[in-house]
Amino acid sequence: MAHIKFFEQVNKNFDKAVDYLPHPPGILEQIRNCNSVYHVTFPLMRDGGKVEVLHAWRAEHSHHKLPTKGGIRYAMNVNEDEVMALAALMTYKCAIVDVPFGGAKGGVRINGRQYSKHELERVTRRFTFELIRKSFIGPGIDVPAPDYGTGAREMSWIVDTYNAMTENDVNAFACVTGKPIPQGGVRGRTEATGRGVFFGVREACEFADDMKRVGLEKGLEGKKVVVQGLGNVGYHAAKFIQEGGGIIVGLAEYEGAIYNPAGMDVEAVVKHRKNSGSILGFPGAKDLKASLEALELPCDILVPAALENQITMDNVDRIQAKIIAEAANGPVTADAGDALQEKGAIILPDMYLNAGGVTVSYFEWLKNLSHVRFGRMTKRFEEDINKKILKTIEDATGKKVSGSLLDRISRGPEEEDLVNSGLEETMINSYNQIREIREEYKKENMPLRTAAFICAINKIANSYQDLGIFP
Ligand code: NAD
């Protein structure tokens, strides 16, 4: 496979939207470019005493809103092109879901599986230190989050290092999101990207016309689904899709894939992998030694949730899914996307579909700045009001509401209820915004991705114009 330049792929897709936009070329050029990139190398002392030099990057794609926001990944293929592309996707993603941030992304070129916990802690703390030195991190500057190969643990090391290095910053906890709850995290953030993928897929399946066009019935119920990657995003997406009525027929990890057309229980597969060390050998399922083959399995919905450039011109002809739900960033190359569109498939674009993570990161950031848990001030008040309303209804009708029903109806919302509800609202609204744009250009067979770019670019261009930077 020829080397695919990821940032070029993003910009190829950007350019497809340009013909439909009224903005002057200067403003479009400003939006398209990546504003700043920081490349740093630093030494890591391995546990055995050997010293290794690591490469790390942070890209801030757009400063039209501050702070900038985007994950930090640990993977061997991290490079400048990749972080710039991912930072650009973050800019568009934030605009689509109305999260008031610019886009950023960072990464360390490292295979996390080959390093001990202590080594990873040293890497994370050193990288954070380097970011502080160059003002590439801060609650109002640039706010990282988890991504491929990182999670709440790494975010905890980041916030602790930031706290240690900065003086009297009352908002220090807002310097990073995706933290553990006791470190200022918000309930629901870990599951947020996967849950958002589920909300997006479910919403797309609700439009009977769109489903008919690809030969499917309305609704998620009973649809056959293949998921690539059982990490944070893939696992949660698979779990919530299964709970929402989808049938998980295929699951892929880096060591191989499994297939059972009758469906598999996601939790049982995860348990099996934990116990045996491999996804392969799951009872009742067929093993596929070549993991990539999972993408070609017969199914209605394919959810690539691992890495970029998974569906390319090399395998696009063999993809059977009618709906490709881009849970990962950039899993379909621009040319392969065109080929799928021609075949009549629906692609739910990454910059919309996996925006649940940044949406809930935004909620976490707001929580950190307000220094109060969501629902703390209102939960009991709402509960009391609900009870009073129910009592009034009981008195007026002479009928009693049963104890358990009373508890369910009157319950005031917890933090997680509010977070999940805000996420659901965002994913549904944003899908409808994009779909409406696509409907305007239905005759031209506009892909949802182009509609998503139009939606994002319009919002960013308006923001630049409001700033008075462009006439
Ligand atoms: P993760 O590290 O938790 O999980 C990735 C999983 O993919 C791992 O289990 C890994 O073993 C597996 N994998 C690697 N190579 C594979 C292969 N060739 N075939 C099958 N599986 C393979 O990472 P994540 O946070 O779930 O991120 C996955 C994707 O989602 C990335 O593209 C990331 O940028 C994107 N994303 C993540 C978030 C987030 O909140 N974590 C938000 C938006 C987008």
Side-chain angles (χ1 to χ4, degrees):
M1 186 173 71
H3 178 65
I4 296 166
K5 289 215 167 99
F6 193 5
F7 194 34
E8 208 173 280
Q9 297 293 314
V10 173
N11 284 337
K12 250 186 173 179
N13 286 322
F14 179 104
D15 292 343
K16 287 180 198 157
V18 164
D19 292 345
Y20 301 94
L21 292 164
H23 313 294
I27 204 167
L28 294 170
E29 192 56 20
Q30 170 57 27
I31 295 171
R32 200 176 182 274
N33 276 303
C34 183
N35 288 0
S36 30
V37 192
Y38 174 40
H39 176 192
V40 61
T41 59
F42 54 82
L44 165 73
M45 169 96 72
R46 300 289 308 249
D47 290 343
K50 206 175 122 227
V51 174
E52 240 173 50
V53 176
L54 298 179
H55 288 256
W57 288 265
R58 183 77 184 168
E60 292 174 356
H61 173 262
S62 177
H63 297 108
H64 72 289
K65 300 236 180 223
L66 286 172
T68 52
K69 185 99 193 68
I72 289 184
R73 60 167 56 176
Y74 289 176
M76 277 316 285
N77 41 357
V78 167
N79 58 50
E80 190 158 316
D81 171 67
E82 186 189 67
V83 290
M84 281 162 64
L86 291 165
L89 283 176
M90 283 304 297
T91 296
Y92 307 128
K93 199 177 294 187
C94 289
I96 287 168
V97 289
D98 294 316
V99 165
F101 296 145
K105 202 77 171 195
V108 182
R109 188 185 291 158
I110 187 175
N111 178 352
R113 277 189 290 269
Q114 291 172 0
Y115 292 79
S116 72
K117 185 180 159 200
H118 296 300
E119 289 170 336
L120 290 173
E121 179 172 355
R122 290 201 286 280
V123 170
T124 309
R125 288 186 183 278
R126 177 64 188 251
F127 185 37
T128 309
F129 175 76
E130 299 293 342
L131 294 176
I132 296 169
R133 266 164 47 112
K134 297 283 180 208
S135 286
F136 265 80
I137 185 171
I141 303 171
D142 187 354
V143 181
D147 196 75
Y148 186 96
T150 60
R153 183 183 67 173
E154 284 74 16
M155 303 306 115
S156 199
W157 292 329
I158 292 175
V159 75
D160 188 51
T161 310
Y162 187 84
N163 255 324
M165 300 293 303
T166 48
E167 258 178 70
N168 300 324
D169 185 351
V170 71
N171 292 323
F173 276 95
C175 77
V176 65
T177 58
K179 304 178 291 289
I181 310 296
Q183 298 294 330
V186 75
R187 288 160 186 83
R189 171 61 183 93
T190 307
E191 306 86 341
T193 309
R195 197 190 288 273
V197 168
F198 158 64
F199 287 141
V201 169
R202 186 190 66 186
E203 186 62 12
C205 292
E206 277 307 297
F207 290 90
D209 286 5
D210 296 349
M211 291 300 106
K212 201 169 156 206
R213 212 164 42 79
V214 289
L216 296 173
E217 297 284 320
K218 178 186 167 193
L220 177 58
E221 188 88 33
K223 296 226 169 8
K224 299 201 166 196
V225 184
V226 171
V227 180
Q228 182 201 35
L230 261 187
N232 178 296
V233 178
Y235 161 67
H236 287 108
K239 174 181 140 87
F240 294 122
I241 287 174
Q242 182 182 327
E243 285 170 13
I247 302 168
I248 307 295
V249 296
L251 287 167
E253 254 298 332
Y254 67 93
E255 69 270 16
I258 50 175
Y259 174 58
N260 183 345
M264 297 173 286
D265 178 52
V266 177
E267 294 297 345
V269 173
V270 169
K271 208 168 155 199
H272 161 81
R273 186 168 185 242
K274 212 173 165 190
N275 292 338
S276 70
S278 169
I279 200 172
L280 299 171
F282 182 68
K286 184 180 157 201
D287 284 347
L288 305 175
K289 292 258 158 47
S291 176
L292 259 185
E293 277 177 23
L295 303 176
E296 300 162 19
L297 287 168
C299 64
D300 301 316
I301 305 174
L302 174 61
V303 186
L307 278 172
E308 58 265 21
N309 299 334
Q310 298 300 299
I311 301 177
T312 66
M313 292 314 281
D314 293 341
N315 61 359
V316 69
D317 287 344
R318 299 191 295 276
I319 304 296
Q320 302 188 55
K322 313 283 188 340
I323 301 172
I324 290 81
E326 292 187 332
N329 283 310
V332 181
T333 63
D335 291 350
D338 291 344
L340 285 168
Q341 176 79 5
E342 257 168 52
K343 272 212 293 194
I346 297 174
I347 301 180
L348 302 176
D350 47 7
M351 49 202 272
Y352 157 68
L353 195 67
N354 66 33
V358 76
T359 302
V360 175
S361 274
Y362 171 47
F363 300 158
E364 181 176 332
W365 183 78
L366 291 175
K367 176 186 179 180
N368 295 150
L369 295 182
S370 60
H371 301 268
V372 64
R373 167 169 49 82
F374 291 116
R376 179 168 174 183
M377 310 276 282
T378 51
K379 180 178 183 294
R380 190 160 293 272
F381 180 77
E382 285 189 30
E383 216 162 280
D384 288 346
I385 294 276
N386 292 343
K387 279 189 179 143
K388 280 181 189 137
I389 294 171
L390 284 169
K391 177 82 174 56
T392 311
I393 295 170
E394 281 181 342
D395 290 347
T397 59
K399 288 186 181 156
K400 277 254 166 237
V401 179
S402 80
S404 64
L405 186 61
L406 184 103
D407 287 347
R408 255 186 295 144
I409 301 177
S410 61
R411 192 174 74 88
E414 301 279 358
E415 178 170 86
E416 193 162 355
D417 299 320
L418 294 166
V419 163
N420 291 345
S421 145
L423 172 63
E424 183 170 6
E425 171 76 2
T426 303
M427 293 308 293
I428 292 175
N429 276 352
S430 300
Y431 186 73
N432 282 279
Q433 278 182 28
I434 297 168
R435 189 177 174 277
E436 268 166 36
I437 296 174
R438 192 207 58 191
E439 287 296 283
E440 264 180 59
Y441 300 99
K442 208 173 178 177
K443 279 202 202 99
E444 295 162 51
N445 192 24
M446 177 182 280
L448 278 169
R449 193 189 315 278
T450 306
F453 265 104
I454 292 175
C455 174
I457 297 168
N458 273 333
K459 288 181 188 175
I460 302 164
N462 289 342
S463 157
Y464 272 122
Q465 264 156 341
D466 290 345
L467 287 171
I469 292 174
F470 289 90

